[in-house]
Amino acid sequence: GAVVSQHPSWVICKSGTSVKIECRSLDFQATTMFWYRQFPKQSLMLMATSNEGSKATYEQGVEKDKFLINHASLTLSTLTVTSAHPEDSSFYICSEIGTGTDTQYFGPGTRLTVL
Amino acid sequence: LAKTTQPISMDSYEGQEVNITCSHNNIATNDYITWYQQFPSQGPRFIIQGYKTKVTNEVASLFIPADRKSSTLSLPRVSLSDTAVYYCLVAEGGAGSYQLTFGKGTKLSVIP
């Protein structure tokens, strides 16, 4: 299956700062990437769909100005949490679907803690 | 939206076969069914994917009845390391227009 990496694997930041999380497809070109958020003991919640070269599509209730997504190349999508607050503390996971496949492959996740 | 329903939790002894069933009554014609395994603080790991009938790989089997309104993940001879949360996912749409809804998952606990 596909290999997806995320960086950083964990980050701690102060309230009000911005944090950028990178999601990289290591072995094939990902036309579509997804960003999920997972709170403790809960399921994954889709935040947005990122299509290479176009604007991301956000799920209902997800603030697009707070969670900035950029998918400038076929191997990299970034999620920036702007003006982070403690309630943004969560596990953020990206996934990719390559061209011609319906299978989603997930990154290892990024643990964000906002103090 | 094809909502999925799974048992919240299951317990099994080591060495037994475990079957986890997922209901997806509103599955659409073009939807595939995919199962994932997730350990704490890790991203979900792909296990198996199918469209209909039976699919088998080196780690699991997936059984899908003709009406496709449910699917069953079968894990042969589980070990302690199989303790994890298992999710079934029904992907809707085609390239560029996916709709993805994760259910609550099934927490499998393997007992020695």
Side-chain angles (χ1 to χ4, degrees):
Chain A
V3 180
V4 181
S5 71
Q6 284 184 238
H7 178 80
S9 55
W10 59 270
V11 57
I12 301 173
C13 69
K14 293 182 178 180
S15 184
T17 60
S18 295
V19 174
K20 179 184 285 188
I21 302 170
E22 294 184 347
C23 176
R24 291 184 184 274
S25 172
L26 299 182
D27 57 351
F28 71 78
Q29 296 176 335
T31 55
T32 302
M33 287 184 171
F34 302 94
W35 287 96
Y36 292 84
R37 179 166 53 181
Q38 186 175 34
F39 294 107
K41 298 189 184 301
Q42 294 187 23
S43 184
L44 285 77
M45 294 187 301
L46 180 65
M47 299 175 66
T49 301
S50 171
N51 294 302
E52 187 266 336
S54 64
K55 291 184 178 181
T57 303
Y58 291 82
E59 295 300 300
Q60 191 171 9
V62 178
E63 300 175 57
K64 63 179 181 180
D65 294 329
K66 181 173 182 61
F67 298 99
L68 302 178
I69 292 173
N70 184 281
H71 192 161
S73 77
L74 286 171
T75 59
L76 174 65
S77 176
T78 61
L79 168 69
T80 302
V81 183
T82 63
S83 187
H85 291 283
E87 57 265 30
D88 298 323
S89 298
S90 188
F91 192 53
Y92 292 87
I93 311 169
C94 71
S95 69
E96 65 175 15
I97 295 181
T99 305
T101 173
D102 285 329
T103 303
Q104 227 184 144
Y105 294 96
F106 290 84
T110 297
R111 173 75 60 192
L112 170 63
T113 301
V114 184
L115 302 177
Chain B
L1 216 61
K3 182 178 178 181
T4 60
T5 304
Q6 303 172 232
I8 297 294
S9 64
M10 295 180 69
D11 293 337
S12 175
Y13 287 103
E14 269 191 297
Q16 289 189 331
E17 177 185 79
V18 171
N19 296 309
I20 306 174
T21 298
C22 178
S23 297
H24 27 79
N25 291 319
N26 296 324
I27 190 169
T29 303
N30 295 327
D31 292 344
Y32 276 80
I33 300 154
T34 312
W35 283 80
Y36 294 90
Q37 175 193 56
Q38 187 181 30
F39 297 111
S41 296
Q42 294 187 26
R45 183 177 74 97
F46 172 84
I47 301 174
I48 197 167
Q49 183 182 69
Y51 183 78
K52 62 180 179 180
T53 64
K54 178 183 176 182
V55 179
T56 298
N57 62 21
E58 61 276 11
V59 298
S61 294
L62 178 59
F63 299 92
I64 305 170
D67 65 5
R68 304 200 327 122
K69 293 183 183 299
S70 67
S71 58
T72 299
L73 173 72
S74 181
L75 304 172
R77 298 180 298 282
V78 294
S79 63
L80 296 177
S81 62
D82 293 319
T83 293
V85 178
Y86 292 81
Y87 294 97
C88 75
L89 179 66
V90 175
E92 301 186 43
S97 63
Y98 286 91
Q99 295 185 49
L100 304 163
T101 305
F102 269 85
K104 297 184 184 300
T106 298
K107 182 176 172 58
L108 173 65
S109 298
V110 180
I111 307 164

